[in-house]
Amino acid sequence: MLKLDHLAVACTDLAEGTAWVEDQLGVKLQAGGQHARYGTHNTLLGLADGLYFEVIAKDPDAVPEAGHAWFGLDDFTGPPRLANWICQTDDLAGALVKAPKVAGVPRALTRADLEWQITVPDDGSLPFDGAFPTLIEWAKGTHHPADRLAQCGVKLLRLDVSHPDAGQIADMMDLDDHRVAMVTGPFGLHATFQTPSGEKTLS
């Protein structure tokens, strides 16, 4: 079964994206790190219920080892926006049996003492524009990133994933997370949070 692991806002400039999220949610993000394989860097926010949130952008000082970025960042333009949702599983190989081929193949990654496998298409794009989640399996013994992040009173209430083929996409995964709703309509990701200053929605 799949459950939500974290959400990602994409942007062309990490400082700009971080400032946008901080303004929208009214809280401060924490420093993240670099992803050498895909030439990106991020900032992070701890959420309630074992979730976390990242703002991610291409690192202008890095050359991606893979030859391309991930999370669709090579083709990303415009202002910061919610662009990807990442679901965790204890059996990535099993989840990929049902997943569409465009989900990509498992890539083994490490950063400091974190170790995981994650699906990335060969060109670094987002399956179904981001309506199908990136899949991740954390290595046994690896502490989940959310456990290391300070809590700031932000809780995800609902994630609406809208796509013209929402029903078909839902059939390609065994998702067990009451916070996620697949909605038939124009593509879009809409996350509603409870924050110290009330409910806020990012999209």
Side-chain angles (χ1 to χ4, degrees), residues 28 47 65 78-80 91 95-96 115 118 125 131 140 163 165 170 180 199:
K28 289 292 185 182
L47 303 175
E65 296 170 359
D91 180 12
L96 284 171
E115 182 179 352
I118 189 167
S125 61
K140 289 180 174 58
H163 191 276
D165 300 318
V180 181
E199 286 193 13

Side-chain angles (χ1 to χ4, degrees), residues 108-129:
L109 297 178
T110 61
R111 187 174 75 185
D113 60 346
L114 294 173
E115 182 179 352
W116 69 99
Q117 292 191 77
I118 189 167
T119 54
V120 182
D122 289 339
D123 61 358
S125 61
L126 289 173
F128 292 95
D129 296 320

Side-chain angles (χ1 to χ4, degrees), residues 6-32:
H6 66 282
L7 302 173
V9 158
C11 53
T12 57
D13 177 83
L14 185 59
E16 177 189 12
T18 300
W20 179 73
V21 171
E22 291 178 342
D23 180 64
Q24 294 294 308
L25 299 183
V27 294
K28 289 292 185 182
L29 274 69
Q30 297 176 227

